[in-house]
Amino acid sequence: MRVAKDSYEIDDDKSRLNMDMIHAFVVESYWAAGIPRTTLERSIAGSDCFGVYHNTQQVGFARIMGDRATFAYVADVFVLPNHRGKGLARWLMETILLQPQYKGLRRWLLATRDAHGLYAKLGFTPVDGARFMEIRDAAVYTQA
Ligand SMILES: CC(C)(COP(=O)(O)OP(=O)(O)OC[C@H]1O[C@@H](n2cnc3c(N)ncnc32)[C@H](O)[C@@H]1OP(=O)(O)O)[C@@H](O)C(=O)NCCC(=O)NCCS
């Protein structure tokens, strides 16, 4: 799929992704600090990926994991600083939510430290924490 608005484009073609830029951003992010490039590449290989492009330069990203039938998990959503505040993350997420392979999903899930406002506008609500359990290794990318 490919959609365009003004000088921006959203594309799910993985061959267009700028792996250097994505890794440079995600390795410094609060949620995956220190992630090895090979791990990021494996995560991209195993996910649906959506790039945001400005005149062919990639400026945004989101990655979706799931079974394309019942459940999807949203990860690694970002827009580069120079392009923020223009509605790109909202457009990206709206576009993803409308993709035919996700029609009829029972649950979308994501974790965010401070972007709840972005997702709330798209219909996401806080989860019932008592129902969810996890195994989490917060140091997996940083310990020797
Ligand atoms: C969060 C991020 C993706 C938003 O990108 P953006 O393109 O600037 O966002 P948009 O312009 O589409 O904003 C859409 C709406 O969400 C709101 N919003 C954006 N970022 C927000 C945040 N961090 N907290 C609360 N609301 C936010 C905006 O106010 C806007 O509301 P409006 O439609 O009423 O004006 C971007 O700031 C970013 O990359 N941050 C660093 C990485 C990050 O934190 N990613 C999210 C991980 S879950």
Side-chain angles (χ1 to χ4, degrees):
M1 58 74 63
R2 194 185 281 197
V3 290
K5 190 157 79 175
D6 304 324
S7 49
Y8 291 93
E9 218 171 51
I10 295 171
D11 195 341
D12 68 353
D13 179 355
K14 286 188 200 176
S15 71
R16 271 186 89 179
L17 294 172
N18 180 341
M19 298 299 296
D20 291 340
M21 184 282 281
I22 298 169
H23 185 249
F25 190 93
V26 176
V27 77
E28 299 290 339
S29 68
Y30 70 80
W31 64 85
I35 187 170
R37 173 138 176 169
T38 50
T39 305
L40 182 85
E41 285 170 355
R42 268 172 39 224
S43 76
I44 284 174
S47 306
D48 296 337
C49 294
F50 297 84
V52 182
Y53 300 86
H54 178 62
N55 301 327
T56 75
Q57 291 270 86
Q58 191 181 352
V59 300
F61 182 67
R63 186 166 74 79
I64 309 296
M65 288 156 271
D67 59 7
R68 295 181 169 196
T70 67
F71 173 77
Y73 187 84
V74 182
D76 295 342
V77 178
F78 68 87
V79 169
L80 290 180
N82 286 348
H83 298 269
R84 288 180 192 163
K86 299 176 170 191
L88 290 177
R90 185 169 179 165
W91 180 45
L92 175 61
M93 288 307 304
E94 275 169 358
T95 301
I96 290 170
L97 290 167
L98 288 172
Q99 291 309 297
Q101 68 264 35
Y102 307 132
K103 195 167 165 15
L105 296 194
R106 186 157 177 273
R107 174 172 281 139
W108 287 86
L109 192 64
L110 61 80
T112 185
R113 190 170 67 186
D114 57 11
H116 306 80
L118 166 65
Y119 301 109
K121 290 187 175 77
L122 297 162
F124 283 83
T125 56
V127 295
D128 170 3
R131 287 184 178 222
F132 282 83
M133 298 179 76
E134 65 178 357
I135 294 176
R136 183 159 175 262
D137 184 350
V140 69
Y141 302 142
T142 46
Q143 67 203 173

